[in-house]
């Protein structure tokens, strides 16, 4: 019998390889799953963290997790050696292919690096009830991580429009710090 008290897991060293061989492991079920299952995990996790640590701390943890995911995503899925326009075009294709959302760049300031992006059909919130709040904290970190890996500059990304606020796209502003 396994002694659950002595069993420890090293959850603090995420690597892209930790995602495993999904095709091999899910031979019958495959790589895709319904969005509702993803949201069930995300929103219950946010609920537990918010109750345990407070909303702001929980939101910040979600941003940090999103940042780590965006960093690893950029390093392992995207071509970081192409020009900016090509990079954005390929990012758009990859996000759509993976059914994360439909990305559109609204504004980019070449002098400062500041950017405004929209994501429609967002994996995290498109279709949820209107709660009059922004909810895409994970996405804020995800976008920041991708931008930072590509540009080498630190970004502060915040959602300025959200489905949960009654908007039909999520809009993010990224400011170089």
């Amino acid at each position: 019998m396994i002694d659950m008290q002595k069993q420890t897991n090293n959850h603090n060293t995420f690597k892209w390889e930790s995602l495993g061989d999904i095709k091999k492991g899910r031979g019958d079920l495959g790589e895709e799953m319904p969005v509702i299952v993803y949201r069930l995990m995300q929103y219950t996790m946010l609920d537990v963290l918010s109750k345990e640590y407070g909303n702001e701390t929980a939101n910040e943890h979600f941003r940090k997790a999103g940042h780590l995911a965006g960093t690893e995503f950029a390093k392992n899925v995207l071509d970081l050696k192409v020009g900016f326009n090509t990079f954005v075009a390929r990012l758009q294709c990859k996000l759509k292919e993976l059914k994360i959302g439909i990305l559109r760049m609204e504004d980019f300031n070449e002098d400062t690096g500041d950017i405004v992006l929209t994501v429609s059909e967002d994996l995290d919130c498109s279709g949820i009830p209107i709660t009059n709040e922004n909810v895409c904290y994970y996405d804020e970190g995800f976008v920041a991580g991708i931008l930072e890996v590509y540009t080498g500059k630190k970004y502060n990304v915040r959602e300025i429009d959200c489905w949960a606020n009654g908007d039909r796209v999520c809009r993010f502003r990224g400011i170089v710090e």
Side-chain angles (χ1 to χ4, degrees):
M1 190 177 266
I2 297 174
D3 183 351
M4 297 303 280
Q5 297 293 333
K6 292 184 180 182
Q7 186 178 3
T8 60
N9 294 311
N10 188 10
H11 297 298
N12 62 351
T13 318
F14 176 79
K15 295 180 183 132
W16 190 257
E17 297 78 32
S18 299
L19 299 175
D21 185 339
I22 298 170
K23 285 183 183 177
K24 180 179 176 185
R26 291 178 51 98
D28 291 329
L29 295 177
E31 295 182 272
E32 295 185 17
M33 66 172 197
V35 172
I36 196 166
V37 176
Y38 169 81
R39 287 185 184 176
L40 179 65
M41 181 200 63
Q42 179 184 24
Y43 284 112
T44 57
M45 191 178 308
L46 186 58
D47 181 71
V48 169
L49 290 172
S50 294
K51 287 175 181 166
E52 187 74 23
Y53 302 107
N55 290 340
E56 287 307 312
T57 299
N59 296 345
E60 192 53 36
H61 284 302
F62 260 62
R63 280 187 197 100
K64 288 178 182 178
H67 188 276
L68 176 58
T71 297
E72 290 298 313
F73 181 84
K75 289 178 182 176
N76 290 280
V77 176
L78 302 172
D79 184 351
L80 303 173
K81 298 181 193 293
V82 296
F84 182 74
N85 290 335
T86 301
F87 177 78
V88 171
R90 291 183 180 173
L91 176 60
Q92 287 173 317
C93 289
K94 189 52 76 172
L95 294 179
K96 188 172 183 179
E97 173 190 325
L98 294 174
K99 300 180 182 178
I100 294 171
I102 300 170
L103 176 73
R104 187 174 143 250
M105 185 171 65
E106 285 191 346
D107 189 37
F108 178 69
N109 184 316
E110 291 182 31
D111 296 328
T112 65
D114 295 350
I115 193 167
V116 176
L117 304 167
T118 63
V119 181
S120 59
E121 299 187 37
D122 186 292
L123 182 62
D124 290 347
C125 74
S126 293
I128 68 170
I130 295 174
T131 58
N132 296 314
E133 61 185 333
N134 290 353
V135 299
C136 297
Y137 308 108
Y138 184 88
D139 292 351
E140 291 173 345
F142 188 73
V143 171
I146 291 170
L147 292 173
E148 287 176 21
V149 168
Y150 179 73
T151 66
K153 299 174 183 174
K154 184 157 178 59
Y155 272 81
N156 180 351
V157 175
R158 290 297 181 262
E159 185 178 34
I160 54 178
D161 293 315
C162 183
W163 184 286
N165 256 328
D167 300 300
R168 289 299 170 250
V169 297
C170 294
R171 182 170 284 108
F172 300 90
R173 176 177 290 128
I175 299 172
V176 177
E177 293 186 340

